[in-house]
Amino acid sequence: MAPAAGAPIVALGEDLLREVFIHLPASADLLRAAAACVGRHPSCPRLLGCLLLFPNRRIGKSHFVPISASPSSSSSSAAAANGGDFALSFLPGGGWLGQGAAAWKDLDCRNGRLLLENLGSHELAVADPISRRYVSLPAPPAGRAVGYGLFADDGDSSEFRAVCISRDAASRELRALVLASGELSWADVAGIACQPNLAAGSRVMQANRSLYWRLEGGEHMVAFRTASMELSVLDLSPALRDLRFDALDRGEEEDVNVLHLLTMTGYRIEVWAGTVDGDGGMAWRQVEKSFRFHKALTEMIDPSLESYRMINPSLQSYRDDIHVIGVAAGLVFFRKWTHLFAIDLETMNLKRLPKADCLGALIFPYTIAWPPSLLNPTGQGV
């Protein structure tokens, strides 16, 4: 007897669903079927790899480095990445990343989308390399933009919010402006007086439904809370002021009011926790410290380097040249010289990514919401 019309797909059972998925003719069909079956996808984003952008090289394009052994990878999400245009050729001007008037500058990357600024027209755009679509954003109102961020809800792939940190030249305030994808208009929502500029090259960080930027001097960060639309300034631990780090989202209710920062020093991963103290400042403590990865890194790059260092102590400063890129889906990504690595925070397994040369690249861990945004088109937007 045929099932009643409108019967839910879960009524088929796990075994029958597997048979259906196995016999689908193409990866794109598998992606669509998985997206239609709620039980087949989580609310957390899928990690696909790393996006490398080379703004100062002759090629002026971006490259995608897949991560084949990621715990959160899947054949369907990998299929989506394979069909993406990571050179951003669908943007006006061909997506050129460089210094010319037609070039685009990357401002942030979240949940499969890139927030970009055209260096000639100062047009803003949010682009989705997988769906090969973009949406133009209006310029922020009066004021000088000093930083941007892109906030995406992991549970909803069809919406995003862009955040602009702007300096009011008259009052020296830092202002926060927010644009929602459903409205495409900027709203001035918060301000804080007499703060230094954002640090040069400061990359926006996201955790606890908040965005964070480092300020000049390295002693403070500015935080924007997306739920309450508030700006605040946070003290940084002296131990972190000269290091590169990323905010770590624990995803636990008891950690919502605790800011976790992950860094690498002395070839060890360190996690620091900061809470607001009674005086309105931040109290920091180190909560985790891993074993050293020096030997494993040396063997992966070039085993002869260690013996050469033993007879050339002046190379010590080069040994600690580790740049934390970001944390995504339980992996911490970092760069050592021209090499790109990932460490699984649960197993502490170290992996070298296949791209041989990442010198000069702006690198972002690349995740997509599930289901991907290309399955939820709304007009010409992303």
Side-chain angles (χ1 to χ4, degrees):
M1 181 176 177
I9 192 172
V10 292
L12 295 177
E14 290 288 322
D15 293 337
L16 287 177
L17 282 177
R18 288 193 188 95
E19 286 296 316
V20 171
F21 290 157
I22 289 173
H23 288 87
L24 289 175
S27 298
D29 297 320
L30 176 61
L31 186 64
R32 296 186 186 98
C37 180
V38 176
R40 291 281 164 178
H41 59 78
S43 60
C44 60
R46 294 274 183 167
L47 175 65
L48 300 187
C50 280
L51 189 61
L52 278 63
L53 301 101
F54 295 92
N56 297 318
R57 292 192 175 187
R58 183 176 57 84
I59 53 174
K61 294 289 184 179
S62 59
H63 300 275
F64 177 72
V65 180
I67 298 180
S68 59
S70 168
S72 64
S73 65
S74 69
S75 58
S76 51
S77 55
N82 290 336
D85 180 2
F86 291 94
L88 306 178
S89 61
F90 55 90
L91 287 174
W96 187 261
L97 299 165
Q99 302 300 322
W104 293 85
K105 175 185 178 182
D106 188 88
L107 304 173
D108 195 14
C109 179
R110 300 284 167 185
N111 252 9
R113 295 187 179 91
L114 289 89
L115 177 61
L116 304 127
E117 178 186 14
N118 187 281
L119 296 181
S121 65
H122 297 290
E123 172 190 2
L124 297 175
V126 174
D128 183 340
I130 291 181
S131 67
R132 304 184 182 213
R133 291 185 295 146
Y134 74 96
V135 59
S136 294
L137 309 184
R144 182 169 62 89
V146 294
Y148 286 94
L150 190 61
F151 182 81
D153 189 339
D154 292 344
D156 190 341
S157 63
S158 64
E159 298 182 0
F160 65 85
R161 278 178 282 177
V163 179
C164 172
I165 301 298
S166 177
R167 178 169 292 285
D168 189 323
S171 65
R172 300 291 297 168
E173 281 189 317
L174 286 180
R175 307 291 307 175
L177 299 91
V178 177
L179 177 145
S181 56
E183 301 173 0
L184 294 183
S185 61
W186 293 96
D188 190 334
V189 297
I192 192 165
C194 299
Q195 295 300 324
N197 280 329
L198 271 59
S202 174
R203 179 183 295 189
V204 60
M205 297 169 280
Q206 180 174 318
N208 300 345
R209 301 188 66 81
S210 299
L211 301 179
Y212 305 90
W213 296 262
R214 297 182 76 155
L215 295 176
E216 286 181 345
E219 297 180 0
H220 304 91
M221 293 194 303
V222 63
F224 177 70
R225 292 171 175 81
T226 61
S228 61
M229 299 289 181
E230 294 177 332
L231 272 178
S232 61
V233 174
L234 310 178
D235 299 330
L236 267 177
S237 166
L240 294 168
R241 291 174 185 174
D242 296 325
L243 298 175
R244 299 195 182 206
F245 54 78
D246 192 24
L248 185 62
D249 202 333
R250 296 282 186 158
E252 301 170 1
E253 290 188 10
E254 59 269 24
D255 286 333
V256 170
N257 296 317
V258 180
L259 174 59
H260 290 89
L261 300 178
L262 182 146
T263 189
M264 289 190 71
T265 178
Y267 291 95
R268 291 186 176 95
I269 295 175
E270 294 181 359
V271 177
W272 291 73
T275 55
V276 178
D277 60 26
D279 297 325
M282 291 287 287
W284 291 94
R285 69 188 190 282
Q286 186 184 113
V287 294
E288 293 179 19
K289 189 173 185 177
S290 75
F291 54 82
R292 285 168 56 87
F293 287 93
H294 171 248
K295 183 177 180 180
L297 275 174
T298 301
E299 290 178 351
M300 285 186 176
I301 297 174
D302 186 349
S304 65
L305 290 176
E306 178 61 19
S307 57
Y308 186 64
R309 185 194 66 84
M310 296 298 292
I311 59 174
N312 293 273
S314 61
L315 291 179
Q316 177 69 29
S317 60
Y318 293 98
R319 293 200 312 122
D320 298 325
D321 186 23
I322 290 179
H323 295 163
V324 172
I325 294 165
V327 182
L331 298 178
V332 55
F333 295 90
F334 67 94
R335 174 167 47 195
K336 170 70 174 177
W337 297 334
T338 63
H339 307 282
L340 189 58
F341 297 90
I343 296 175
D344 189 313
L345 292 175
E346 182 176 350
T347 64
M348 288 297 160
N349 287 334
L350 173 68
K351 179 178 181 179
R352 179 176 174 179
L353 274 65
K355 187 68 179 179
D357 183 5
C358 59
L359 183 65
L362 184 62
I363 306 173
F364 292 95
Y366 190 81
T367 63
I368 59 171
W370 192 260
S373 59
L374 79 161
L375 299 174
N376 298 287
T378 55
Q380 298 301 312
V382 294

